Amino acid sequence: MGLAARSATEQHMNSPAELCFAYLTSFASGDAKLVASHVTEGFINEHTSAMGSGCVGIEEYRRRLPGFIDSMPGLVYNIETITAQGANVWAAYTLCAHVNGHPISIRGAMHFEVDGNLISRRVDYWDSQVFKNQAGLA
């Protein structure tokens, strides 16, 4: 079983960067439960984009994940770089998927705060105009 196919608990994370890498790569599995297994009960999910919609708490995050994953067939976060300083992790990525029959490739960055072996907060920075243009929504 590959790194992305195991939950955070099963992986016995050695570092916050490895946890965040596993979280981002878990989206490619299409398994919302696996994605959510990387976050705390009080997880804070923030988006800086005008089109983004944040939430607080694992239950709300679990409720939203299947719709997000289903709306982006082939969803993959290609990680460009990942850097950690203590419990703070920054990852630059390119999100690739299909939306409305259009292939999209959106560059962005995330800042994570890690508590133990779980992510307690994520702030996602991406350009919603690029998304609109590529998804045929502009």
Side-chain angles (χ1 to χ4, degrees):
M1 187 179 304
L3 179 67
R6 296 181 287 163
S7 73
T9 303
E10 292 171 325
Q11 292 175 41
H12 304 287
M13 293 297 144
N14 293 322
S15 73
E18 289 173 324
L19 168 64
C20 296
F21 177 85
Y23 168 78
L24 287 170
T25 58
S26 72
F27 280 89
S29 73
D31 182 347
K33 288 180 183 177
L34 176 61
V35 174
S37 74
H38 296 91
V39 306
T40 64
E41 289 293 320
F43 178 61
I44 299 168
N45 180 32
E46 292 182 57
H47 290 268
T48 62
S49 170
M51 289 184 67
S53 175
C55 66
V56 176
I58 195 170
E59 291 307 316
E60 181 62 14
Y61 189 60
R62 283 182 184 142
R63 186 186 73 72
R64 292 176 177 210
L65 270 173
F68 173 72
I69 292 169
D70 290 347
S71 73
M72 296 199 174
L75 173 62
V76 173
Y77 283 99
N78 292 316
I79 300 165
E80 297 173 23
T81 187
I82 193 160
T83 305
Q85 183 175 24
N88 287 286
V89 178
W90 293 265
Y93 65 82
T94 301
L95 178 152
C96 298
H98 286 84
V99 177
N100 298 328
H102 300 277
I104 63 166
S105 179
I106 310 294
R107 292 185 76 203
M110 289 188 202
H111 172 240
F112 298 94
E113 294 176 11
V114 174
D115 183 5
N117 275 345
L118 294 172
I119 299 165
S120 60
R121 182 173 180 237
R122 174 187 90 151
V123 183
D124 196 358
Y125 302 85
W126 53 280
D127 187 330
S128 57
Q129 188 62 51
V130 171
F131 173 81
K132 283 180 173 182
N133 290 346
Q134 291 185 16
L137 302 173

